Amino acid sequence: MQQDMQRNMQAVRIHEFGGPEALCIEELATPCPRAGEALVKLEAVGVNFIDTYQRKGLYPVPLPATLGLEGAGSVVATGPEVRSIKPGDRVAFADVRGAYAECVAAPEQRLVPIPDGVSADTAAAAMLQGMTAHYLSQTTCKLGAQDRCLIHAAAGGVGLLLIQMARNAGAFVIGTCSSEAKAELASAAGADAVILYTEQDFKTEVQRITAGEGVTVAYDSVGKATFEDSLDCLARRGRMVLYGNASGPVTECNPASLASRGSLFLTRPTLFDYIASREELVERSSEVFRWVREGSLDLRIGHRYPLAEARAAHEALEARRTTGKVLLKPGANRGFAA
Ligand code: NDP
């Protein structure tokens, strides 16, 4: 270790899978960076829906676990064999376990530099949801002016970013959400049409809006409650991108139904396969940061909670009370060297 550090830190852990009450704030030993790792003092931690899946055990993690995958802050120490970063560097990440904490020991290879002029809050808000919207709109489907997209949960963290990237690519965008206030946010982000899917039948509305043509791509992160109707929104040879389970996982799909609905394509992607290599992680994050700096991508940080209030953040996220990004802010002034 290259600097003296406080020995203990606060972290939010689970000892068993469960509801938001399973989250406990605890005092833990500050990790010591091993070979190839850097110790990052976190200024901002991203809350993502995947954290709730891990907390519930839908995506099991070894217990006890410090939740969280995303954050931004400064390097305070490095382990042996770290070559590209040094104490004082500002870095961000989207796939390092244990981010709900004041510090995390992260592999150097999974850290990206935060560009000048980008705050830690913005960096933490841009990484996981930004790169998700990026791969969905640029790689899983390379959207263009010929596309008409359906984007569920349009006022959420991924949703607001995906609307903007789809619109910037020239696509026509139909968003869905659960309230008028959320619909206003989706429209402001650029959605051409917004459907209140808790009040209206979105399948009927999509057919009406597209004059019976359907959409070329359906981005479905809601899962169980919307999957079947989303398939029915697709045009012939349309692409169904099922990328989340906010209402519960989809557990059944008969491939023959893809044929009878018009030779549809179905994919169930995950970000981690789209940033698996260092090169792809750096390219994707750099482009997201470039768009943020240029002003072509507006990051909406809807909610900030102290780290110790992670439970309240999860409750709000799962009760559909959040919009845009949710951040946790680890306590300041706890004496870490920076
Ligand atoms: P969001 O901010 O979008 O929050 C989830 C939203 O889902 C809610 O605000 C709500 O919007 C909607 N929703 C619909 N039904 C439910 C329900 N029953 N319970 C709770 N919420 C519901 O979260 P994120 O941006 O973090 O993630 C969005 C989705 O994308 C998640 O499903 C997540 O798992 C997925 N994801 C997938 C990735 C991948 O690579 N596969 C990577 C990142 C995220 P409304 O009130 O408008 O319905």
Side-chain angles (χ1 to χ4, degrees):
M1 300 251 281
Q2 294 167 0
Q3 290 193 340
D4 290 337
M5 272 158 296
Q6 181 170 311
R7 242 181 241 154
N8 288 333
M9 64 169 193
Q10 288 195 324
V12 176
R13 296 216 292 177
I14 54 168
H15 291 267
E16 54 189 34
F17 300 120
E21 68 286 350
L23 298 168
C24 317
I25 182 95
E26 292 177 9
E27 198 84 11
L28 297 181
T30 301
C32 192
R34 293 173 302 185
E37 288 183 344
L39 184 68
V40 181
K41 180 193 168 200
L42 293 162
E43 281 177 58
V45 174
V47 176
N48 294 286
F49 222 87
I50 189 173
D51 306 340
T52 70
Y53 304 147
Q54 294 187 339
R55 191 204 68 223
K56 287 193 285 199
L58 180 64
Y59 297 173
V61 291
L63 298 176
T66 302
L67 289 189
L69 295 168
E70 178 182 44
S74 306
V75 172
V76 286
T78 52
E81 295 162 34
V82 170
R83 308 202 198 292
S84 62
I85 45 182
K86 58 183 186 318
D89 287 355
R90 299 168 69 241
V91 292
F93 58 86
D95 62 351
V96 176
R97 284 193 182 168
Y100 283 14
E102 289 180 297
C103 285
V104 67
E108 174 190 20
Q109 290 300 310
R110 305 314 293 169
L111 296 172
V112 298
I114 301 175
D116 289 344
V118 173
S119 70
D121 282 16
T122 298
M127 288 293 287
L128 198 150
Q129 293 167 343
M131 290 195 291
T132 297
H134 187 279
Y135 86 76
L136 292 172
S137 60
Q138 316 293 315
T139 313
T140 305
C141 300
K142 178 76 183 144
L143 295 179
Q146 73 286 355
D147 284 306
R148 299 178 297 278
C149 310
L150 174 64
I151 299 176
H152 287 309
V158 176
L160 287 175
L161 300 175
L162 187 52
I163 290 172
Q164 296 175 69
M165 291 185 199
R167 277 300 307 268
N168 290 348
F172 181 86
V173 175
I174 303 172
T176 65
C177 59
S178 65
S179 71
E180 290 287 355
K182 288 186 174 186
E184 278 175 31
L185 290 175
S187 296
D192 297 281
V194 184
I195 302 166
L196 292 184
Y197 59 179
T198 40
E199 294 173 18
Q200 297 167 288
D201 176 25
F202 74 82
K203 185 169 71 171
T204 307
E205 285 301 298
V206 165
Q207 294 306 336
R208 183 185 64 74
I209 293 163
T210 61
E213 293 286 318
V215 290
T216 60
V217 184
Y219 290 111
D220 192 335
S221 63
V222 174
K224 190 174 180 180
T226 50
F227 177 72
E228 287 292 330
D229 283 350
S230 298
L231 287 172
D232 285 336
C233 291
L234 285 163
R236 180 171 289 134
R237 286 167 30 191
R239 290 155 289 172
M240 172 67 173
V241 184
L242 175 66
Y243 72 99
N245 331 277
S247 67
V250 174
T251 51
E252 282 180 24
C253 175
N254 177 359
S257 77
L258 302 175
S260 59
R261 280 162 153 138
S263 301
L264 304 181
F265 295 84
L266 168 64
T267 182
R268 176 58 178 90
T270 168
L271 170 66
F272 309 112
D273 289 319
Y274 286 82
I275 54 169
S277 70
R278 171 83 190 155
E279 190 183 29
E280 203 168 8
L281 169 69
V282 169
E283 274 175 21
R284 224 175 267 294
S285 58
S286 301
E287 187 145 54
V288 171
F289 282 135
R290 182 164 62 76
W291 289 342
V292 170
R293 292 173 84 195
E294 285 172 1
S296 58
L297 186 65
D298 181 38
L299 288 172
R300 181 186 158 82
I301 299 174
H303 314 262
R304 289 178 176 84
Y305 293 84
L307 178 66
E309 291 177 24
R311 173 180 174 167
H314 275 220
E315 284 168 347
L317 188 61
E318 290 179 289
R320 305 165 82 156
R321 293 198 305 267
T322 66
T323 54
K325 185 69 193 175
V326 181
L327 292 179
L328 298 178
K329 298 288 286 175
N333 305 324
R334 280 179 50 86
F336 292 96

